[in-house]
Amino acid sequence: MLLPFVVTASAVISLVLILGRSYHVLILLVIAAGWSQAPLITLTRSDAFQYLDDVPAAVLVAAAVVRAFSSQDKRLHKALGLMVILVILVGIGFVRSPDTEIGIAQARQVLMPLGLVFAGFVFRDDIKWRKVSTYLLLLAALTVAWALAEEIMQTPLLDPAWYHVNVVGGNPRSMRMGLPPAYFADGVSDGELTFRPGGPFMNPPVMGFLLGLGAFAAVARLRSLARLGMLAAIGLALFFAYARAGILLFLMVTVIYFIWTKVGKHAGILVALGLGGYLFTTFIEQGNTASHSDGLFSGFMLGLQSPAGLGFGTTGYQAALEGASTGVGSESLLGLYFAWIGWPMIAAALVLLVHLGKLLRRVPRSQSLPVWLAVGFVLTVASSESASSMASTPVLWLTLGSVVAMTVPLKLQARTVQAATGSHFPQRPMLQRSTPRR
C-alpha cells in the first residue's frame, strides 16, 4: 500500500513544482531522491521507494514534451520530432524483446536518460543553474563524509547485501566477504581485494558520478581555499572508491579545464591525450576495465552490421540477470545503445561528437566548463552501463542537453555574463539562440 502512496505523492509534488516553474527545486528533488533511495529501501526493507528517483525525472521529461509542443521555437519542434522518432525506435526494440520485463527495463535505460537530454535542451534557459550547483555541493559534501567514514571503518555504514540481492537482482553467490562485488577492486594492491566505499548509493561507480558533479560545482561556484578543500575531499573519496567514471569527470573539470583556460587550447588537448593514454594503460589490466572497452567496440560493430539493431532483451545487465545476454555491448551504455538501436544511434553519437568539438573550438575558454563536463560524461557513457542510473546521473544528462542547445555567443556577452554571475554554469546568454523566438 505504501508504494502507490509514495509514487503518487512524488508525482503530485513534481507536478506542482513544474506548474510553479520551480525547475531547480524539482531537480533538487531528483538529486535527493536518488541519493536517499538505497538507504530508504534498505532501512525499511520495502519496495515502496523503488521508483523514488524515476518519478520526478519522468515528470520533468513529460513537462518538456508539453513545453516543446506548445512552443513556437522551431528548434524545440525539431528536438520534439527527434524524441518522437526515438520513442518509435524504442517501441520497435521492445516488441523484439523476448522478455517483457527485460524489454521494459531496457526501454527505460534509453528513454529516461535521453529524455533528460531533451528536457535539458528545452529548459536550458529556465533552470536556475546557480541554485542547482548549491544543491550539488551540499549532496557531494554529505556523500564525501559518508564515503570517508566507510573507508576508515573498512565496511559500509548500511549493509548492502539485502539491497544487492533483492532490489538490484544480484546473485548471492557473487558476494565477496558478504558484500556485493562492486565493493571491491581487483588488481589494485598486489592482486589483493581492495575495499571500495559505496556511500549512500551502495555502489562505488554510481557514487562516482555524483562526486564528479560535485567537482564541477566546486569549480563553478567556489573560490580560493574553499574550492581547493572541496576538490581535495572529493578527489580523496574518488580515489578510495576507485570510481573510474567519477575520476574521469573530476579530471575533465579540473586538470583539463584549468590547462585549457590558463595555458591554452593546444596544451589542453595534449594533456588530455596524454592523460587519456595513461589512464587507459593503467586501468586496462585492472579489474573488469577491459570488458568496458570491449563492450563499446562489440556494440559498435554490431550496430554497423545491423541497421535496425538487435532490439532489447539480448544483451546488457538486465538480460544477463535472466541468462539471456550474448555479452555484446556489455558494460558500455553507448555500446548497448548501438547494439539495441543500430544505425540511428551511431549517427546521433557522431553528430553529438562533432557538435562538442565545434563548441570547444568556438566557445570562449572561460565559458567552456559545461562543455568539458559534457565531453567527460559522453566518455563515461561509452565506458559504463551505470551511466543510465537515475540515482546519480540525471543532472549530467540535463547538462548534456543544455550543452547541446548552446550556440556560440559574442565574446563580450560571455564575459559580461561571467562577471555578473560569477558562475560557469549554463546561463541564458551562453545558451542564446541564433534567432529570436517568434
Side-chain angles (χ1 to χ4, degrees):
M1 293 297 293
L2 188 58
L3 176 60
F5 172 78
V6 171
V7 171
T8 302
S10 180
V12 170
I13 293 172
S14 301
L15 183 59
V16 169
L17 293 173
I18 286 291
L19 294 176
R21 299 176 65 86
S22 298
Y23 303 109
H24 62 287
V25 182
L26 179 56
I27 292 174
L28 170 61
L29 180 61
V30 171
I31 301 170
W35 191 90
S36 61
Q37 182 185 47
L40 285 173
I41 293 177
T42 301
L43 291 172
T44 62
R45 292 293 197 268
S46 170
D47 63 354
F49 303 100
Q50 63 178 320
Y51 300 114
L52 193 63
D53 56 343
D54 289 301
V55 173
V59 170
L60 182 60
V61 173
V65 171
V66 174
R67 167 69 69 84
F69 182 78
S70 59
S71 173
Q72 296 182 354
D73 190 333
K74 292 184 178 180
R75 293 185 76 201
L76 299 189
H77 292 168
K78 292 178 181 179
L80 181 59
L82 291 174
M83 192 66 190
V84 171
I85 293 173
L86 176 65
V87 171
I88 294 173
L89 293 173
V90 168
I92 295 172
F94 174 76
V95 170
R96 297 170 65 187
S97 175
D99 183 277
T100 300
E101 186 174 347
I102 297 176
I104 292 174
Q106 296 189 333
R108 171 207 165 277
Q109 278 188 278
V110 177
L111 286 178
M112 191 66 81
L114 298 186
L116 286 171
V117 173
F118 172 71
F121 188 97
V122 171
F123 292 125
R124 60 195 181 273
D125 295 340
D126 301 290
I127 297 173
K128 297 179 180 178
W129 293 100
R130 284 178 61 84
K131 292 188 176 182
V132 172
S133 68
T134 301
Y135 306 147
L136 289 173
L137 286 171
L138 174 61
L139 270 296
L142 293 174
T143 303
V144 166
W146 191 312
L148 293 182
E150 289 186 339
E151 176 63 24
I152 293 171
M153 297 167 56
Q154 286 291 289
T155 186
L157 294 182
L158 293 176
D159 184 6
W162 183 89
Y163 181 82
H164 176 70
V165 174
N166 294 278
V167 180
V168 179
N171 189 335
R173 289 177 294 182
S174 68
M175 306 282 277
R176 297 180 177 185
M177 300 170 61
L179 296 176
Y183 271 83
F184 297 96
D186 294 312
V188 179
S189 178
D190 297 326
E192 298 181 0
L193 291 180
T194 301
F195 176 78
R196 306 164 68 189
F201 301 97
M202 297 189 179
N203 186 304
V206 171
M207 180 180 68
F209 287 103
L210 184 71
L211 292 178
L213 266 172
F216 170 60
V219 172
R221 288 296 308 277
L222 302 179
R223 295 294 178 269
S224 189
L225 293 179
R227 173 194 278 177
L228 184 61
M230 188 64 179
L231 289 177
I234 291 173
L236 194 62
L238 285 170
F239 173 77
F240 288 134
Y242 204 68
R244 298 171 180 87
I247 292 172
L248 177 59
L249 292 173
F250 181 89
L251 293 175
M252 282 290 182
V253 300
T254 56
V255 176
I256 304 303
Y257 170 71
F258 286 127
I259 292 177
W260 184 263
T261 56
K262 305 300 182 182
V263 181
K265 292 185 176 182
H266 292 97
I269 293 173
L270 289 175
V271 173
L273 291 174
L275 189 59
Y278 172 75
L279 291 175
F280 179 80
T281 56
T282 300
F283 287 154
I284 196 65
E285 295 181 356
Q286 296 179 352
N288 295 319
T289 303
S291 65
H292 296 265
S293 56
D294 290 344
L296 175 63
F297 178 75
S298 61
F300 176 73
M301 293 304 297
L302 183 62
L304 284 179
Q305 298 166 13
S306 306
L310 286 178
F312 301 133
T314 57
T315 189
Y317 182 73
Q318 294 295 329
L321 290 177
E322 302 297 328
S325 177
T326 62
V328 175
S330 176
E331 299 194 66
S332 165
L333 183 61
L334 188 58
L336 290 174
Y337 284 176
F338 292 155
W340 288 337
I341 298 178
W343 286 7
M345 191 56 66
I346 292 177
L350 291 176
V351 170
L352 175 61
L353 291 176
V354 170
H355 182 65
L356 292 177
K358 288 182 178 179
L359 287 176
L360 284 176
R361 290 200 307 271
R362 299 175 181 176
V363 168
R365 284 183 290 172
S366 62
Q367 293 290 308
S368 64
L369 182 60
V371 184
W372 278 112
L373 179 67
V375 171
F377 184 52
V378 169
L379 293 176
T380 65
V381 171
S383 60
S384 172
E385 189 176 352
S386 299
S388 65
S389 169
M390 287 297 101
S392 62
T393 65
V395 176
L396 284 163
W397 292 106
L398 286 169
T399 303
L400 179 59
S402 295
V403 170
V404 169
M406 287 172 61
T407 56
V408 182
L410 295 174
K411 290 186 178 181
L412 178 60
Q413 290 176 311
R415 290 170 183 164
T416 302
V417 172
Q418 186 180 3
T421 64
S423 173
H424 295 269
F425 272 71
Q427 303 292 327
R428 182 182 298 272
M430 187 175 177
L431 303 181
Q432 181 177 323
R433 285 167 289 275
S434 54
T435 56
R437 290 187 182 183
R438 293 179 173 83

